[in-house]
């Protein structure tokens, strides 16, 4: 899997640093910037452009925007065809439809052909909120991660999202990016440079290290503050790229940890927790806890309430860590 | 002008290569490869602008074999065009062969996209047609579908899209042999009337005899003149066409000729019973 340097001028995107913003909003803004610089960027959507924020690209470059209607399978296939003629298609819809409804199209047509399609899905995870279980993708990372040749990225905030979108436009190959609906706190520092397959370590703890991505990075940072105050030395790393996993950094962290906790807004099966467990079980088995959705469907409600109900808060992370060290 | 006699001879040669490679492989899809041999011949040896020496030439016409199980007909056409040595045909379906059971674009030059899971090719062809149009190229995209294949829902999503985006640089062809694995299409899941359905979806439709070279050539030429909408050529064909023991027999959908059957096939094909 190639790792590339970002040649695009990121200066203007640094404006997103420190901004609390939904990652889908950062996506919409960045796509327009990309569209100005690269005439080969094309965008497809399946009747959700106002929600995925591709509407901004649509307004600026109508001739390069293709609304495929409510037909995700056709959208993914069309994106592959555009890619095979040298375009760089970004295909967007909700995560559940991009990865669930169109899974076989992603596998057969996109990945088996190594078509240069960027699937950027919004509304990943439980924070979709009121729409409920049918629209809350809790399995998308697992579904994409299992396909050979697919790169899987879950950015933590607006700043990382914008860098990620620019970077993947310059990388050849299929990529899945999972974005969210809700406004998320800014966590990535100004000097941060996104690289495919490279994690960002905020700090390494002597007792516990939290491996998180997406919205859960900010919860992990809050948890580490609490734990450090209570005498449990805690570190946090943002593993935004789930595949290819940054195994080198993970091993380095694991060697310094008494406990690893993975935290993700996704099923504990097959996502970040799955990837980390698989690697550590084979290479450096140490105590590990996975925090995520525990093999269940979501439900309707305010997204902040849902995070509490499903155990995806800093407080839950603190409890899991304290429980371990009590023994 | 098309050299019809040359094309008929070429179709015969394609059929000979098809039965030979399938018999060597010991498995594969005989019926649907033979039924589409005349159509594929007309595309590769008459209609399409392509360069076997430069398979990635950007302005080439594209061919998407949506019914990917008919891989042998595509492999035969590519080999006869000069994309690779004919001796490779003998490796079909074997370990390490670039000739996979269903076409893989990563392993073989000339394959535009990996296919085999039915119903996905028309969307890809649409995407190619959009991409070529964005580049201002006159290049055309051809897509071969099976009649059983159009039972897949994605085909109808793509049928809507092609019409919505007025893809007049797209020409799809249905190899309408009326047989699928479990029997007659009309009995398994009736797809008729195919022509009326595509007309209702906004397509220009031609009905032709898919084994009449003059009709195939004429339809492909006429399709190029149609502006503002995609064209669907519904080509009435016979599954296993060219070999009497395979013709119209559903059991030859997914099995290869035995040694004895190959002898009969080669004799019939060489005698020009086409």
């Amino acid at each position: 899997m190639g790792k590339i340097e970002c040649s695009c001028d990121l200066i203007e995107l640094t404006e997103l640093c420190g901004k609390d913003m939904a990652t889908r909003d950062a996506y919409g803004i960045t796509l327009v910037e990309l569209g100005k610089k690269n005439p080969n960027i094309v965008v497809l959507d399946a009747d959700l452009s106002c929600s995925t924020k591709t509407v901004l690209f649509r307004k600026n470059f109508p001739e390069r925007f293709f609304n495929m209607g409510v037909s995700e399978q056709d959208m993914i296939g069309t994106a592959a065809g555009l890619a095979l003629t040298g375009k760089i298609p970004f295909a967007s819809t909700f995560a559940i439809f991009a990865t669930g409804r169109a899974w076989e199209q992603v596998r057969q047509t996109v990945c088996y052909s190594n078509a240069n399609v960027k699937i950027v899905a919004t509304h990943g995870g439980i924070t979709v909120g009121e729409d409920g279980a049918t629209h809350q993708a809790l399995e998308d990372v697992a579904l994409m991660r299992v396909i050979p040749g697919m790169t899987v990225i879950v950015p933590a905030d607006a700043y990382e999202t914008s860098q990620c979108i620019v970077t993947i436009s310059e990388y050849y190959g299929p990529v899945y990016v999972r974005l969210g609906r809700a406004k998320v706190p800014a966590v990535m520092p100004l000097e941060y440079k996104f690289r495919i397959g490279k994690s960002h370590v905020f700090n390494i703890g002597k007792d516990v290290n939290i491996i998180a991505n997406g919205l859960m990075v900010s919860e992990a940072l809050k948890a580490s503050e609490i734990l450090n105050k209570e005498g449990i030395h805690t570190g946090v790393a943002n593993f935004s790229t789930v595949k290819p996993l940054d195994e080198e950094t993970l091993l380095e962290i694991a060697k310094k940890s008494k406990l690893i906790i993975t935290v993700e807004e996704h099923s504990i099966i097959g996502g970040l927790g799955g990837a980390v467990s698989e690697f550590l079980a084979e290479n450096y088995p140490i105590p590990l806890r996975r925090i995520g959705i525990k093999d269940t469907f979501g439900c309707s409600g305010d997204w902040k309430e849902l995070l509490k109900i499903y155990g995806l808060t800093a407080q839950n992370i603190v409890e899991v860590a304290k429980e371990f060290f009590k023994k | 002008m098309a050299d019809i006699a040359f094309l008929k001879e070429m179709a015969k040669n394609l059929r000979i290569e098809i039965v030979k490679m399938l018999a060597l492989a010991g498995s594969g899809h005989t019926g649907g490869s033979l039924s589409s041999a005349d159509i594929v011949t007309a595309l590769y040896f008459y209609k399409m602008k392509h360069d076997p020496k430069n398979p990635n030439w950007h302005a080439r016409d594209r061919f998407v074999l949506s019914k990917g199980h008919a891989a042998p007909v595509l492999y035969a056409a590519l080999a006869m065009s000069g994309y690779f040595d004919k001796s490779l045909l003998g490796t079909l379906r074997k370990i390490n062969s670039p000739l996979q059971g269903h076409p893989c674009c990563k392993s073989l030059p000339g394959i535009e996209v990996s296919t085999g899971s039915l119903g996905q090719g028309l969307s890809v062809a649409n995407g190619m047609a959009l991409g070529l149009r964005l580049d201002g190229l006159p290049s055309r995209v051809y897509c071969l579908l099976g009649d059983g294949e159009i039972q897949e829902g994605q085909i109808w999503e793509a049928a809507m899209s092609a019409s919505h985006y007025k893809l007049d640089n797209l020409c799809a062809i249905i190899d309408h042999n009326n047989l699928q694995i479990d029997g007659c299409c009309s009995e398994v899941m009736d797809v008729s009337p195919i022509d009326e359905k595509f007309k209702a979806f906004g397509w220009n439709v031609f009905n032709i005899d898919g084994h009449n070279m003059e009709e195939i050539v004429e339809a492909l030429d006429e399709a190029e003149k149609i502006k503002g909408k995609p064209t669907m050529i519904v080509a009435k064909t016979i599954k296993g066409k060219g070999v009497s023991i395979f013709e119209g027999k559903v059991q030859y959908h997914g099995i290869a000729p035995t040694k004895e059957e190959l002898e009969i096939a080669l004799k019939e094909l060489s005698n020009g019973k086409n």
Side-chain angles (χ1 to χ4, degrees), chain B residues 223-243:
Chain B
E224 213 161 354
K225 297 176 193 158
I226 302 293
K227 297 295 164 208
K229 52 168 81 173
T231 289
M232 174 61 74
I233 299 174
V234 183
K236 188 94 191 60
T237 58
I238 295 164
K239 200 146 180 164
K241 173 71 179 174
V243 182

Side-chain angles (χ1 to χ4, degrees), chain B residues 3-252:
Chain B
D3 182 344
I4 300 295
F6 162 79
L7 291 172
K8 282 182 175 175
E9 182 66 17
M10 188 55 81
K12 184 185 87 180
N13 292 336
L14 251 63
R15 287 194 165 90
I16 289 172
E17 295 303 333
I18 289 166
V19 290
K20 273 164 62 181
M21 78 174 99
L22 281 165
L24 268 174
S27 70
H29 298 84
T30 305
S33 298
L34 291 172
S35 64
S36 53
D38 300 299
I39 298 158
V40 172
T41 299
L43 287 169
Y44 273 85
F45 298 94
Y46 166 66
K47 194 73 225 172
M48 284 182 9
K49 295 189 300 294
H50 64 119
D51 181 2
K53 299 277 171 292
N54 184 13
N56 296 322
W57 172 41
H58 188 53
R60 71 190 182 278
D61 291 338
R62 266 73 169 174
F63 176 68
V64 175
L65 182 68
S66 193
K67 47 171 288 184
H69 56 281
V73 71
L74 177 55
Y75 295 153
L78 291 174
M80 303 293 273
S81 299
Y83 281 87
F84 51 82
D85 196 89
K86 238 171 70 175
S87 63
L88 257 189
L89 297 176
T91 68
L92 172 68
R93 291 177 164 250
K94 299 281 196 279
I95 301 288
N96 290 332
S97 172
L99 278 63
Q100 291 290 295
H102 294 81
C104 175
C105 65
K106 288 190 288 185
S107 64
L108 194 65
I111 306 288
E112 298 287 357
V113 61
S114 305
T115 54
S117 175
L118 294 177
Q120 301 194 17
L122 189 56
S123 301
V124 180
N126 288 348
M128 289 174 172
L130 284 170
L132 294 167
R133 189 166 75 183
L134 277 176
D135 285 343
L137 291 168
S139 315
R140 294 179 62 74
V141 183
Y142 296 93
C143 180
L144 184 65
L145 303 157
D147 50 4
E149 178 182 18
I150 65 172
Q151 291 159 357
E152 289 280 5
Q154 189 186 346
I155 290 294
W156 301 99
E157 294 183 358
M160 261 187 280
S161 308
S163 168
H164 180 81
Y165 284 107
K166 302 181 168 48
L167 298 179
D168 52 19
N169 56 345
L170 174 84
C171 176
I173 304 120
I174 291 184
D175 177 13
H176 186 20
N177 58 38
N178 202 30
L179 286 176
Q180 58 187 113
I181 300 177
D182 274 355
C184 271
C185 295
S186 45
E187 285 167 21
V188 175
M189 179 51 66
D190 196 0
V191 291
S192 66
I194 296 176
D195 51 357
E196 292 303 323
K197 282 180 174 136
F198 277 92
K199 274 181 204 163
F201 274 67
W203 289 56
N204 170 57
V205 180
F206 295 134
N207 284 296
I208 64 162
D209 172 354
H211 300 308
N212 182 319
M213 196 56 83
E214 287 90 345
E215 283 190 32
I216 299 170
V217 161
E218 192 193 346
L220 291 173
D221 286 345
E222 288 304 310
E224 213 161 354
K225 297 176 193 158
I226 302 293
K227 297 295 164 208
K229 52 168 81 173
T231 289
M232 174 61 74
I233 299 174
V234 183
K236 188 94 191 60
T237 58
I238 295 164
K239 200 146 180 164
K241 173 71 179 174
V243 182
S244 61
I245 51 172
F246 303 150
E247 283 187 5
K249 299 217 173 88
V250 74
Q251 61 267 36
Y252 286 97

Side-chain angles (χ1 to χ4, degrees), chain A residues 268-283:
Chain A
I268 54 168
I269 301 170
L272 178 65
V276 167
S277 304
E278 286 160 19
F279 176 78
L280 290 178
E282 284 189 343
N283 296 281

